[in-house]
Amino acid sequence: MVRTTKKTVVLLSGDNPQIRKGDGDGPVQAYIAALPGWKRDVGAHLDALVMQAVPNVSKAVKWNSPFYGIEGQGWFLSLHAFKRYIKLAFFRGTSLQPLPPGDSKSPETRYLDIHEGDSLDEALLTGWIKQASQLPGFLTPNADLIPPLPVGQLQGKSMEPSERIDHLIAELTDWRGRTLAHVRKLILAADSQITEEWKWMGSPVWERDGIIAVGNAHKDKVKLTFSHGASLPDPDKLFNNGLNGKVWRAIDILENDQIPEDALQTLVRAAIAYNQDKPKKPKSVRAAPKA
């Protein structure tokens, strides 16, 4: 079922506005203005909280949803209107404290559902927004990032993460492909139990007892982001991006840069040790249904 508002903005099922995709504040404000009733006030309130918590936030509308992110780092938050509530999606929600209440089929995402009449805990929301903005975000293909795989291959259900990374490296026929392949080899050689994953619309991820690092190929660099880099010793000063953040750190590798192999592997092992030593988050417990 589709119906139209007086301003000819189409409301899809669930009263979510159909807004043309676009970057910047304008499309987001158009989305908020098209929300019906109480959802418009909540949308404006949430937008203001994000702006206050993260003044340098980037905005866009994608897939009929506002997205909030940090340039060069990815999207950390989106919202979507449903019939009876607005859903906030924190793309790295499992790394937030306290844990947002709604679980997801995506292993990293957590949700918060806001219903009519709910009182917004501004302090809690602001804390989540600030934390989320400091983490590596959800990346979508854009002018800066190289599309990771042809669509048919990206959606191939039978492909293993390592195969997808193989394809990504094969698609990068210049120095970035060679650099990403070298970084990958060094990371895997640092510990025999490291596994490879493929997340966030096309990012190689290396894990052991949690995420170690995420790799991305940009136009002018290969970025290796350590999820908890701010907590890792870096005596060789490999980190050169995100140095003021409280959680992540990154290594931007430019063409002709020499990678200190031993130092990188030491950093990888330090990330594994951090994952193994950090306290495990308790799983949320749902009340048993009444008989």
Side-chain angles (χ1 to χ4, degrees), residues 29-272:
Q29 296 308 320
Y31 175 95
I32 292 171
L35 286 168
W38 65 270
K39 297 172 188 172
R40 186 183 311 117
D41 294 334
V42 171
H45 192 175
L46 292 170
D47 183 74
L49 286 178
V50 174
M51 288 294 295
Q52 183 177 3
V54 189
N56 63 326
V57 71
S58 296
K59 300 182 185 183
V61 167
K62 301 174 182 292
W63 304 295
N64 301 308
S65 298
F67 277 67
Y68 299 87
I70 302 295
E71 185 176 358
Q73 184 174 313
W75 306 105
F76 61 83
L77 174 68
S78 76
L79 65 90
H80 194 90
F82 291 87
K83 197 72 176 179
R84 294 183 177 84
Y85 57 91
I86 285 179
K87 181 180 289 292
L88 290 185
F90 291 93
F91 298 121
R92 295 295 302 277
T94 55
S95 296
L96 304 182
Q97 290 287 353
L99 199 67
D103 57 8
S104 167
K105 292 180 180 179
S106 170
E108 301 290 331
T109 301
R110 298 290 294 185
Y111 294 125
L112 174 68
D113 294 344
I114 303 172
H115 297 79
E116 184 175 9
D118 283 354
S119 178
L120 296 184
D121 187 333
E122 292 191 0
L124 180 61
L125 280 168
T126 298
W128 280 336
I129 291 166
K130 287 182 176 180
Q131 290 178 62
S133 71
Q134 296 170 358
L135 298 169
F138 165 73
L139 296 168
T140 57
N142 53 41
D144 183 40
L145 288 172
I146 304 302
L149 287 173
V151 172
Q153 294 176 349
L154 180 65
Q155 295 178 346
K157 295 182 179 179
S158 62
M159 292 182 66
E160 296 294 326
S162 293
E163 293 179 287
R164 292 174 181 260
I165 297 172
D166 289 341
H167 279 284
L168 169 59
I169 291 172
E171 289 291 314
L172 297 169
T173 57
D174 58 12
W175 67 271
R176 295 164 301 169
R178 295 190 296 273
T179 298
L180 188 58
H182 187 196
V183 167
R184 179 193 195 189
K185 181 178 180 180
L186 290 173
I187 291 174
L188 293 176
D191 188 292
S192 62
Q193 296 187 48
I194 292 175
T195 61
E196 295 186 305
E197 300 296 336
W198 181 262
K199 298 182 179 182
W200 306 305
M201 296 293 288
S203 295
V205 179
W206 293 278
E207 298 186 351
R208 184 181 171 188
D209 298 308
I211 293 176
I212 299 167
V214 182
N216 287 110
H218 295 251
K219 281 185 175 181
D220 60 348
K221 62 191 173 186
V222 170
K223 180 183 286 291
L224 187 62
T225 303
F226 283 74
S227 296
H228 299 284
S231 301
L232 304 181
D234 181 26
D236 296 284
K237 307 297 183 186
L238 295 187
F239 292 132
N240 56 15
N241 194 309
L243 301 181
N244 295 324
K246 296 181 179 180
V247 182
W248 65 275
R249 293 283 190 276
I251 305 171
D252 288 350
I253 306 170
L254 307 181
E255 188 174 8
N256 298 322
D257 280 355
Q258 297 298 313
I259 302 172
E261 298 183 355
D262 291 341
L264 179 59
Q265 290 185 320
T266 298
L267 197 58
V268 168
R269 296 185 187 106
I272 295 170

